[in-house]
């Protein structure tokens, strides 16, 4: 009898974990909680949270703009390359010589970029 209850408990736990895992992957035509209508689900939200956790702040002066690639000289004098695409949240029209503040992921893609206010 104890074995039967133990097997049923393990089976219940495994089926619940499988259901939770399926909700995390998000299937086309479903939302995070399984209702019809959207794609992505919890997996997309987890990916965005992961991006935010890996983001770094870059402050400096724009030295060069070549298409979607920006070269920024940071406070330490190091040149940092940023990829600024249509997915990047941009504030203002940036040009060479501007002081900027950017949030970038580990691969150098700018998540957001804006003109930095000078402290005077």
């Amino acid at each position: 009898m104890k074995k039967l209850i133990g097997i049923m408990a393990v089976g219940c736990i495994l089926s619940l974990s499988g259901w939770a895992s399926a909700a995390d992957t998000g299937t086309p035509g479903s939302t995070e909680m399984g209702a019809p209508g959207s794609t992505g689900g919890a997996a997309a939200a987890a990916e965005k949270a992961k991006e935010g956790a890996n983001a770094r702040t870059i402050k400096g002066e724009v030295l060069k703009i070549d298409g979607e690639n920006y070269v920024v000289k940071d406070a330490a004098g190091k040149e940092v390359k940023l990829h600024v695409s249509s997915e990047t949240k941009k504030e203002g029209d940036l040009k060479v010589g501007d002081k900027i503040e950017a949030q970038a992921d580990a691969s150098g893609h700018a998540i957001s970029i804006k003109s930095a206010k000078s402290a005077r």
Side-chain angles (χ1 to χ4, degrees):
M1 186 67 162
K2 288 182 181 182
K3 283 184 182 181
L4 180 61
I5 292 173
I7 291 171
M8 289 176 58
V10 169
C12 182
I13 290 170
L14 290 175
S15 67
L16 287 176
S17 67
W19 177 72
S21 176
D24 283 344
T25 60
T27 56
S30 67
T31 62
E32 293 176 27
M33 298 309 287
S38 74
T39 60
E47 185 64 29
K48 285 192 180 243
K50 190 166 113 178
E51 286 176 6
N54 293 332
R56 60 187 173 129
T57 301
I58 299 163
K59 295 180 183 181
E61 179 183 348
V62 178
L63 297 178
K64 180 179 177 183
I65 300 175
D66 184 19
E68 292 185 334
N69 299 306
Y70 287 42
V71 178
V72 177
K73 185 175 184 178
D74 68 11
K78 180 179 170 190
E79 290 187 5
V80 180
K81 293 180 183 178
L82 292 174
H83 179 250
V84 179
S85 71
S86 59
E87 296 175 359
T88 303
K89 181 182 173 186
K90 295 176 230 163
E91 292 183 26
D93 188 28
L94 302 173
K95 58 190 180 304
V96 173
D98 286 350
K99 303 284 187 195
I100 60 100
E101 181 175 332
Q103 295 293 320
D105 64 16
S107 67
H109 177 76
I111 299 164
S112 68
I113 188 167
K114 65 182 179 178
S115 178
K117 301 193 179 10
S118 58
R120 293 184 182 180

